[in-house]
Amino acid sequence: MTIVETPTSTVPLGGPSLPQERRLVTSIPGPKSQALQARKAQAVSAGVGVTLPVYIVAAGGGVLVDVDGNSLIDLGSGIAVTGVGNSAPQVVEAVAAQLAQFTHTCFTVAPYDSYIEVAETLNRLTPGDHAKRSALFNSGAEAVENAVKIARHYTGKQAVVAFDHAYHGRTTLTMGLTAKNQPYKNGFGPFAAELYRAPMSYPYRDGGLDGVVAAKRAISQIEKQIGAENLAAVIIEPIQGEGGFIVPAPGFLPTLVDWCRANKVVFIADEVQTGFARTGDMFASDHEGIVPDLMVMAKGIAGGLPLSAVTGRAEIMDSPQVGGIGGTYGGNPLACAAALATMAAYESENLVARAREIGAILTGRLNAIRTADKRVGDVRGRGAMIAVELVDAVTGEPDAALTGRVVAAAHAQGVILLTCGTYGNVIRFLPPLSIPDGLLIEGLQVVQAALAAA
Ligand SMILES: *Cc1c(COP(=O)(O)O)cnc(C)c1O
């Protein structure tokens, strides 16, 4: 007789009431995850990679629970998305209520008020007290594309500058803005025209070049190679994400903003990864008080539902002709309901302060490791967006192989950990802001042990 499993009776519900513990009951990945990974290979494009093939059935607080019954510590938040936690109760309630009302009309066909309320909230939360407008989309890359479209329309100019180590997405336009060839661009060209690259401020690897000097170096290259009269926009991540959590030296961003404003160039901050309390400010731009002309947001905006946005100066955002901006699903009502509950939680639960607490725990412990271990070249980032750069202890060269061993060992011990960096030698910590301190510290101890053994 075969026993038929009834998943609904064994699968735990997600959300913060899940037991907040690391619990391994099989090797990682367990047999059921391995079977699913084999099915994936037969059904899903090989181009869609998986960092750690544990198949998830529930998540909340600071854990992910897999199909084999393992409970893993989440230090990735699905790439900085679930800042408020997975299946946060307010988000679940808001989405469920909307689900029972209606699921879709297309805002550009027959609109609804939650889209407007999301726009009003973004206009209020983003830096600057000038008149603003917002438009909603589905993914970070789609929002970046639209920010570029809007900047070109407003300025009547075409060129766009992005920076070394930049990541802006995987669509044709955003691939061109993204710096790294493997795996993001290789074989996918040709790329869109009129995209240029400027040198970044990367204090750990540029000899600690002063931020203003680094900005002037970039500006000089832009003026010589492109010309402000041809330049529609400069786009930059205030702290680079995929590129390695690179925090530019103080003065770099304000100098670029000033130059853009003096030269009728739209300054676009890509805050897709840094936005919504992640860095210990509501936005990373707040740290040095810069006021971007346009801001692109996505990941942390809606507790895991797909939504992205461009918010910016009213005169720029109102430039495109009616119908020039939009899409079928942009600002979907379920995603808007989730975003309103999520953004309310960032404010009411003071998650900006929580991100700073998490940052203090991370940097305190990681700096202690760095002092004792010369392979930890740099500890950097802000708030709950912290990274370590691993290097050869003698030469200081990036050590991607060591990084791979550390991350693999942490995975085997039930800690979800991500890498990044142009040289593949950066471990990034992006825990949900809902993670309990004890679990965060346990996760760090696992990483520390993995580094000691590697
Ligand atoms: C993730 C990311 C994007 C792309 O967002 P998607 O939703 O994956 O399209 C763009 N910019 C930055 C800074 C990102 O981190």
Side-chain angles (χ1 to χ4, degrees):
M1 194 181 96
T2 53
I3 295 165
V4 180
E5 282 193 37
T6 49
T8 45
S9 64
T10 54
V11 173
L13 280 177
S17 55
L18 266 185
Q20 295 298 301
E21 60 182 5
R22 181 169 63 107
R23 184 186 70 239
L24 300 185
V25 298
T26 70
S27 59
I28 301 290
K32 289 180 183 169
S33 279
Q34 287 182 32
L36 283 164
Q37 186 67 0
R39 262 173 69 195
K40 173 197 175 268
Q42 295 304 311
V44 180
S45 163
V48 181
V50 169
T51 301
L52 175 57
V54 288
Y55 283 76
I56 301 305
V57 294
V63 298
L64 305 177
V65 176
D66 77 9
V67 67
D68 290 290
N70 301 295
S71 177
L72 299 99
I73 298 177
D74 181 13
L75 297 184
S77 305
I79 320 185
V81 168
T82 53
V84 290
N86 253 293
S87 296
Q90 321 88 305
V91 177
V92 171
E93 197 183 318
V95 174
Q98 178 59 47
L99 196 49
Q101 296 292 319
F102 63 96
T103 50
H104 176 83
T105 59
C106 188
F107 185 79
T108 62
V109 174
Y112 36 89
D113 64 357
S114 57
Y115 187 116
I116 301 171
E117 198 178 336
V118 170
E120 288 167 345
T121 308
L122 293 171
N123 296 350
R124 176 172 63 80
L125 290 178
T126 50
D129 51 14
H130 49 277
K132 294 178 205 158
R133 306 277 189 268
S134 292
L136 305 183
F137 307 97
N138 301 286
S139 69
E142 190 188 359
V144 169
E145 294 238 358
N146 278 280
V148 169
K149 282 170 63 174
I150 294 166
R152 282 177 169 161
H153 196 280
Y154 173 72
T155 58
K157 300 188 278 185
Q158 294 187 353
V160 179
V161 162
F163 287 80
D164 288 333
H165 315 289
Y167 183 85
H168 297 292
R170 289 184 173 96
T171 59
T172 297
L173 179 68
T174 58
M175 260 193 303
L177 297 170
T178 290
K180 198 174 176 182
N181 177 47
Q182 281 288 9
Y184 304 124
K185 304 169 77 164
N186 188 51
F188 297 135
F191 306 114
E194 288 304 313
L195 307 180
Y196 298 88
R197 196 162 307 286
M200 182 63 187
S201 163
Y202 187 169
Y204 178 64
R205 295 206 169 271
D206 65 14
L209 192 63
D210 176 81
V212 176
V213 175
K216 287 184 173 159
R217 176 179 69 177
I219 289 164
S220 164
Q221 181 171 316
I222 292 167
E223 287 176 335
K224 290 197 179 71
Q225 298 184 8
I226 307 157
E229 62 274 32
N230 300 306
L231 185 58
V234 165
I235 182 165
I236 189 165
E237 302 150 83
I239 298 175
Q240 289 182 319
E242 304 293 312
F245 284 21
I246 300 166
V247 185
F252 184 74
L253 295 171
T255 305
L256 286 176
V257 171
D258 290 348
W259 180 84
C260 285
R261 208 136 293 153
N263 288 278
K264 297 191 166 53
V265 173
V266 176
F267 182 90
I268 306 173
D270 180 347
E271 292 240 19
V272 168
Q273 192 158 155
T274 48
F276 300 103
R278 176 56 54 185
T279 63
D281 282 297
M282 191 55 85
F283 294 99
S285 295
D286 295 327
H287 184 76
E288 280 192 86
I290 60 167
V291 178
D293 298 312
L294 300 181
M295 187 177 280
V296 184
M297 294 154 285
K299 293 189 165 99
I301 194 173
L305 273 84
L307 187 73
S308 64
V310 180
T311 296
R313 294 183 187 279
E315 65 275 21
I316 303 176
M317 293 296 293
D318 282 341
S319 171
Q321 61 278 12
V322 173
I325 298 297
T328 306
Y329 290 114
N332 168 271
L334 300 172
C336 284
L340 291 173
T342 300
M343 292 189 288
Y346 285 123
E347 291 194 283
S348 67
E349 296 175 18
N350 199 1
L351 294 179
V352 164
R354 178 63 189 147
R356 290 185 184 198
E357 285 171 11
I358 288 173
I361 293 171
L362 285 169
T363 50
R365 288 174 184 256
L366 293 169
N367 273 317
I369 299 172
R370 181 176 61 91
T371 310
D373 189 338
K374 292 282 163 278
R375 297 173 302 168
V376 179
D378 196 19
V379 176
R380 59 174 179 254
R382 274 195 210 114
M385 182 175 183
I386 301 293
V388 294
E389 179 156 352
L390 298 185
V391 297
D392 185 292
V394 178
T395 64
E397 287 297 306
D399 197 339
L402 171 66
T403 308
R405 290 198 300 279
V406 173
V407 168
H411 288 172
Q413 290 301 314
V415 176
I416 309 266
L417 195 62
L418 305 175
T419 60
C420 61
T422 296
Y423 313 106
N425 68 324
V426 178
I427 295 176
R428 55 172 150 178
F429 297 88
L430 285 169
L433 307 178
S434 54
I435 194 171
D437 284 357
L439 215 51
L440 175 63
I441 290 166
E442 185 179 339
L444 274 167
Q445 286 165 344
V446 168
V447 176
Q448 182 169 12
L451 181 63

